Amino acid sequence: MTDANEKLSDGEVGERLRIAREEAGKTQSAAADAAAVARTTIVAIEKGQRRIRLEELQKLAVFYGTSANAILRREAVQLDLVPRFRKLAQDADPAVENASRLLNDLVRAEVELEDALGIRRPRNYPPERPILPGDVRLQAEQDAQELRDWLGLGPGSILDIVAVLDLQLGIRIYLRRLEGRISGLFAFDDRAGACMLLNANHPVERLTHTALHELAHFVSARQKPEVLADDAPGASREERYADTFARSFAMPGRPVCQRFAEITAGQTHLTRRHVILLAYTFGVSREAMVRRLEELKLARSGTWDWFQSNGGINGEHVLQVLGEAAERSAPSIEGRALVPHRLGLLAREAWKRSIYSEGQLARLLRLDRHEMRQVLDGAEAEESEAHDFVKLSH
Amino acid sequence: MISLSSLTESGRILVLDASVIINMNATGCSEAILGCFPGKVVVTTNVAVELAHGRRNGHLDAELLDRLVSQGLVALHHLGPPAEPHYESLISGSARNTLDDGEAATIALAYEVGGVAMIDERKAHRICAERYPSLVVMPSIRLLLDPSVAEILGVARQIQAIKNALELARMRVPQEIIADLQALIGTDEMRRYPSLPRYIGKAGAD
């Protein structure tokens, strides 16, 4: 039975409505028109000075693309990531808007379901390292090495950066299919913690670079949201720091020098084969590898451009050198699921325990009812198979 | 259990949730099925809004509802003040004790008019049992298994409608009705549908 303690105060409802309106990108005037009230009424409602009527709430919920229950449900988590990303750009960018909305929705759903199921996600965040005056590349190199040491990664390559960020640091990381020019987003929220959204359409090497680029922002300025896109300006100190950090983290100086020495021993020229083997060893793109060799003075500045103007280093070359091993597992399985697998499991458990209904979950995960049923398929059969022998100990 | 057709014959209004419209659409013969029930059939405007969300992915449940309304088989109902206190109590509070707007509106209206809440969501059944014990709440499968449906459509067409709902709409069937379903479509057939709970019947039963 719903008791008075479970209900939100007018102030809490007003605050939630304000966040929902800002997330939907609606003005108070437009909201007033939608609810057929004066703008001053919306102001008063959002400030908690006037109780919203049910009829008004329903109209506003539809106008904001949400439900009245999503506003009034005590556990509902309200995040303001979308307006924070919106403030980053001078002009509205639909691709960034869509991606930030997706990140907001995923994080909000995951945090709410974790809370409802009593799950506490461990965080193991390294200390923040704000960018200081002086050589920004040197700082990035040092900070990347420091973090590698802090994580106990040793000199080897990182084959699964997503697992490192998720399992070792406790960053919420989502792989979803985004518009091509968007590589990734990073945001930090006090309640949800650090969150990243990566473009699952990109090859694994690029995805790794994006994750490390966003990791640099987490290390240097975690309160500031960040978007990595093809056409984003890259000349700022923060961006140069992030790019160098990403390269240094994926390709630490000493191990690269050591591997380079081994691989080129007794030979006179740098070849495509060297680049392909080194790139494969460190799990990075050929271009990233050559640029790193240039940075470490192991190759002349302009080497990548020379290769490019002399036939490039293409997939066929890679196949000749690596054969079938060239096919690294793509992050496509996670990216193609209707919702990230962990989130899907949380939703199934919440449904099995009768905490959330199909309708509530569909709304929470931004799925239609058919998609939600797909996510829940087999949940009842699992329940009837739940045997003590396979009971989890936690 | 008393049949749905006898309830509607006695004047009970059927209030359909989104889950039921989705299942009806999948059957391929929703008009014929709903036509088996003599009473009034109603859908809340909250449910209509919810079904419209499926349009972006090409689902035609909202179109079916429009068609049923235009044919006079279903009436749209905007929740009025009498049902609002129930509706509000069903959407406001903890997750465990609340439902989404369409589900809540279906129950609130059915309770207000003394009708039958047709809803598949098992959490909704649990909440109704706790808070509205006098309300008759039934899942979609009760519509499809009703003797009047078999009588008017014929058993073969009834079975096909049920299979369509299980396959295309992933219709959920409560554990307590599984035996009835098994008696009609058979255990082997039931194994094809992942939306169903596992049926553990009598050895050799089929």
Side-chain angles (χ1 to χ4, degrees), chain B residues 65-85:
Chain B
L65 179 58
D66 291 345
R67 203 168 68 235
L68 294 173
V69 170
S70 69
Q71 291 170 347
L73 285 166
V74 168
L76 271 185
H77 186 96
H78 185 74
L79 218 56
E84 279 186 0

Side-chain angles (χ1 to χ4, degrees), chain A residues 1-3 6-8 51-52 54-55 57-59 61-62 65-75 112 116 348 351-363 366-385, chain B residues 17-20 22-23 46 49-51 53-54 56-57 59-61 78-79 84-85 87-103 120-124 126 130-131 165 168-175 194-200:
Chain A
M1 176 75 75
T2 305
D3 65 40
E6 285 190 338
K7 294 202 172 181
L8 302 173
R51 169 164 288 202
I52 191 164
L54 200 55
E55 182 78 17
L57 176 63
Q58 291 191 86
K59 286 177 180 167
V62 172
T66 181
S67 70
N69 176 243
I71 299 289
L72 298 180
R73 188 168 64 239
R74 176 154 284 290
E75 292 86 344
E112 182 173 340
R348 288 165 73 91
W351 184 79
K352 282 197 263 186
R353 289 198 208 170
S354 193
I355 303 173
Y356 286 79
S357 70
E358 184 184 290
Q360 286 175 310
L361 288 171
R363 192 84 67 167
R366 302 270 186 200
L367 301 176
D368 66 43
R369 294 290 285 266
H370 291 264
E371 292 170 325
M372 194 62 237
R373 288 179 180 194
Q374 203 176 323
V375 171
L376 295 175
D377 251 1
E380 283 176 316
E382 279 172 8
E383 277 182 313
S384 53
E385 280 181 337
Chain B
D17 180 45
S19 49
V20 182
I22 291 168
N23 296 335
N46 304 72
V49 168
E50 190 178 348
L51 291 173
H53 287 310
R56 66 188 159 93
N57 292 327
H59 298 300
L60 300 175
D61 308 309
H78 185 74
L79 218 56
E84 279 186 0
Y87 173 68
E88 188 172 4
S89 79
L90 287 164
I91 59 167
S92 179
S94 71
R96 184 176 286 279
N97 290 322
T98 62
L99 295 162
D100 201 49
D101 297 11
E103 299 159 337
D120 285 359
E121 176 56 45
R122 62 185 189 171
K123 179 182 164 189
R126 191 250 300 157
E130 290 167 2
R131 286 154 68 176
L168 303 174
R170 298 177 158 86
M171 177 173 69
R172 310 227 167 258
V173 177
Q175 187 75 51
S195 64
L196 294 179
R198 190 185 240 198
Y199 175 64
I200 304 167

Side-chain angles (χ1 to χ4, degrees), chain A residues 109-310:
Chain A
E110 191 168 73
V111 173
E112 182 173 340
L113 289 173
E114 283 172 356
D115 287 352
L117 293 167
I119 296 166
R120 217 171 145 266
R121 190 185 178 93
R123 290 184 194 176
N124 184 31
Y125 294 167
E128 206 167 345
R129 292 277 180 262
I131 299 173
L132 301 170
D135 187 336
V136 78
R137 289 200 169 91
L138 188 63
Q139 288 176 53
E141 184 103 31
Q142 286 169 347
D143 291 349
Q145 188 56 53
E146 185 187 55
L147 184 55
R148 279 189 73 104
D149 295 342
W150 189 80
L151 288 165
L153 288 176
S157 65
I158 318 148
L159 291 178
D160 188 352
I161 187 64
V162 171
V164 172
L165 299 183
D166 181 356
L167 301 176
Q168 283 196 253
L169 295 180
I171 293 176
R172 295 179 190 279
I173 188 159
Y174 309 96
L175 276 68
R176 301 273 87 196
R177 299 166 86 175
L178 307 176
E179 198 175 294
R181 67 183 185 81
I182 303 287
S183 294
L185 282 78
F186 166 77
F188 185 88
D189 175 84
D190 288 338
R191 182 167 179 189
C195 322
M196 276 183 205
L197 176 63
L198 306 178
N199 193 342
N201 283 330
H202 287 174
V204 70
E205 292 84 3
R206 184 168 175 190
L207 197 135
T208 299
H209 176 81
T210 304
L212 292 173
H213 181 101
E214 302 300 7
L215 179 62
H217 287 281
F218 169 68
V219 166
S220 63
R222 69 187 55 161
Q223 294 294 339
K224 198 175 157 193
E226 207 274 331
V227 179
L228 181 61
D230 283 353
D231 47 3
S236 70
R237 292 187 89 230
E238 287 82 4
E239 288 310 298
R240 275 186 285 142
Y241 173 91
D243 273 336
T244 309
F245 180 98
R247 280 199 300 279
S248 309
F249 197 96
M251 300 168 277
R254 177 154 281 283
V256 170
C257 292
Q258 198 174 336
R259 189 78 181 133
F260 180 84
E262 286 166 11
I263 220 165
T264 58
Q267 294 158 66
T268 54
H269 292 82
L270 182 69
T271 65
R272 288 185 179 81
R273 182 168 288 264
H274 294 135
V275 172
I276 289 165
L277 287 170
L278 282 167
Y280 184 74
T281 300
F282 288 93
V284 297
S285 69
R286 278 91 69 188
E287 179 178 358
M289 192 71 244
V290 175
R291 300 251 185 242
R292 183 65 173 150
L293 295 179
E294 292 176 22
E295 199 167 48
L296 294 170
K297 312 287 183 211
L298 295 169
R300 274 192 190 176
S301 180
T303 299
W304 175 251
D305 298 333
W306 183 89
F307 275 118
Q308 284 297 87
S309 55
N310 286 277

